[in-house]
Amino acid sequence: MIALLLAVAAPQAIGIHQRWGAFRDDAPTRCYAISRPVRGRSGTSFASIGNWPGAGARGQVHVRLSRARSDSARVVLAIGERRFELKAGRVDAWSPDTATDRAIVAAMRGGRSMSIESVAENGAAFVDVYALAGAATAIDAAALGCL
């Protein structure tokens, strides 16, 4: 019985595209492209672009920070010359709206790398850097996985 529960709870791999993977969960149904940083603390940090069909959400940007941020610190996602301020909790950050989600995903499609910058609780600045090779393909695969 436990093995059956674990099998149901495990995400299904849709595909791996360089440093990005595309996955599907069934309870609730969601599909997402996800990657770990190439630079920065990589413990549990990740960047993802998710689709939640039941909630009508597509291309939603979510980042798990590599460190807990200071309450007063901004979280800025940068791709090339583009800068996007994210809404942030203690260790998670999201795009503030769907228009920004779309702009970030469009920038990801044409970029080589993406950085997430903030200030940790101890006052030290930190940056998590993600390679974007394979991101566009993984984002598309995740979108198709939840049609």
Side-chain angles (χ1 to χ4, degrees):
M1 180 66 165
I2 291 174
L4 178 61
L5 290 173
L6 291 175
V8 171
Q12 302 163 8
I14 297 170
I16 304 299
H17 308 280
Q18 297 191 34
R19 296 194 60 91
W20 286 78
F23 297 89
R24 176 186 170 97
D25 290 332
D26 286 326
T29 300
R30 69 181 176 133
C31 298
Y32 51 94
I34 190 167
S35 185
R36 289 186 173 273
V38 295
R39 197 175 88 218
R41 290 185 183 175
S42 64
T44 60
S45 55
F46 62 83
S48 68
I49 309 299
N51 301 286
W52 300 76
R58 298 187 59 75
Q60 207 168 51
V61 175
H62 173 232
V63 176
R64 171 74 44 89
L65 304 172
S66 62
R67 302 179 189 189
R69 72 174 184 86
S70 165
D71 289 339
S72 61
R74 297 174 38 205
V75 176
V76 177
L77 183 151
I79 303 170
E81 299 297 318
R82 304 280 316 262
R83 302 284 181 270
F84 305 93
E85 187 164 348
L86 303 180
K87 291 173 39 177
R90 185 169 171 266
V91 294
D92 292 289
W94 303 268
S95 175
D97 52 49
T98 57
T100 305
D101 281 329
R102 286 191 297 273
I104 291 170
V105 170
M108 288 175 73
R109 290 180 180 284
R112 294 177 48 126
S113 67
M114 170 175 81
S115 65
I116 312 298
E117 306 169 19
S118 193
V119 176
E121 290 176 315
N122 67 1
F126 69 93
V127 178
D128 299 327
V129 178
Y130 294 84
L132 293 176
T137 305
I139 290 166
D140 292 344
L144 290 172
C146 272
L147 286 180

